[in-house]
Amino acid sequence: GAGVSQSPSNKVTEKGKDVELRCDPISGHTALYWYRQRLGQGLEFLIYFQGNSAPDKSGLPSDRFSAERTGESVSTLTIQRTQQEDSAVYLCASSLGPRGEAGFGPGTRLTVL
Amino acid sequence: RKEVEQDPGPFNVPEGATVAFNCTYSNSASQSFFWYRQDCRKEPKLLMSVYSSGNEDGRFTAQLNRASQYISLLIRDSKLSDSATYLCVVNGGGNYGGSQGNLIFGKGTKLSVKP
């Protein structure tokens, strides 16, 4: 079946602009995760959604970052007033539940000039 | 103490070698454990879940020691295609929602298998 999809695959933006990244999880997956991975670094947790529970936003690095999820489907990650240090691959994953195996999307490569 | 710790490596081994990776985690309430592999410039892919009784999948064996909060991955008869970064993944303890369900990734151990 269809896996996790993300769009756009690549995004180049200018410093100070806002960007919106999209994630379509696997159908029926209640848990959705966003991670950031800078070049040569490990995965950095950003935010986690589980069903109708309040999301865990503890990983968001600043108030410029926000994310929403519509029910148990699409999620968008918004970065306002982008900075060069925001350049990274943003990865989305989903799983059947909070203890399930997570499948990842291919990521969105963000470059802030 | 970091939540999930791994030796970053790199581990450089010849084809056919046996190699073992270790991982420690800090949250004693964690309930789910996984190994993922990540190839260069690709997304992580699930390698295997780790069960309390230990589990094996072909050349790969994973073990969990809850008392020591320690997870291991053993790769036998290494192939060139095993070259990748191996990520140890642990979920927060507890039930649904909040940080307790989050998946926490170690920084990964890099493996390079040489001919």
Side-chain angles (χ1 to χ4, degrees):
Chain A
V4 178
S5 61
Q6 293 186 244
S7 61
S9 54
N10 280 285
K11 177 72 177 178
V12 180
T13 191
E14 294 179 347
K15 178 181 173 181
K17 301 281 190 186
D18 297 352
V19 296
E20 192 171 278
L21 313 180
R22 177 185 169 112
C23 172
D24 283 86
I26 294 170
S27 179
H29 279 196
T30 61
L32 187 147
Y33 315 81
W34 281 99
Y35 293 88
R36 175 170 74 178
Q37 188 170 34
R38 292 190 169 109
L39 188 63
Q41 303 296 310
L43 271 73
E44 179 185 355
F45 164 69
L46 296 177
I47 189 168
Y48 160 64
F49 296 90
Q50 171 53 47
N52 294 321
S53 300
D56 175 5
K57 304 179 182 180
S58 62
L60 295 178
S62 76
D63 59 8
R64 296 187 296 106
F65 288 71
S66 62
E68 292 184 349
R69 188 179 185 193
T70 308
E72 293 184 351
S73 60
V74 172
S75 176
T76 55
L77 176 69
T78 302
I79 309 173
Q80 295 178 309
R81 305 181 302 281
T82 51
Q83 304 294 314
Q84 287 183 330
E85 63 263 26
D86 299 334
S87 296
V89 175
Y90 289 81
L91 290 158
C92 175
S94 70
S95 64
L96 273 173
R99 292 195 284 275
E101 302 164 351
F104 278 84
T108 293
R109 185 173 301 276
L110 175 66
T111 303
V112 182
L113 301 176
Chain B
R1 180 181 175 185
K2 293 180 184 174
E3 293 185 272
V4 179
E5 289 201 64
Q6 296 182 251
D7 181 344
F11 284 58
N12 298 308
V13 303
E15 269 188 293
T18 295
V19 61
F21 304 138
N22 301 319
C23 167
T24 57
Y25 60 96
S26 60
N27 189 344
S28 60
S30 293
Q31 298 179 24
S32 299
F33 310 91
F34 310 94
W35 283 102
Y36 279 70
R37 69 171 277 168
Q38 186 173 28
D39 294 282
C40 188
R41 299 177 76 85
K42 297 285 190 182
E43 72 273 20
K45 291 190 187 298
L46 178 69
L47 179 65
M48 59 198 302
S49 300
V50 186
Y51 304 120
S52 296
S53 55
N55 49 304
E56 186 174 312
D57 182 1
R59 298 181 293 108
F60 298 84
T61 301
Q63 293 196 317
L64 168 65
N65 184 325
R66 284 187 185 271
S68 301
Q69 294 177 212
Y70 168 97
I71 304 161
S72 66
L73 177 68
L74 183 77
I75 305 175
R76 291 182 298 277
D77 188 22
S78 300
K79 312 291 185 190
L80 295 177
S81 58
D82 294 335
S83 297
T85 297
Y86 289 82
L87 305 172
C88 176
V89 185
V90 174
N91 89 316
N95 296 314
Y96 297 91
S99 61
Q100 297 172 337
N102 185 20
L103 290 177
I104 303 160
F105 282 74
K107 300 241 180 266
T109 298
K110 187 171 181 179
L111 172 66
S112 181
V113 182
K114 307 291 187 183

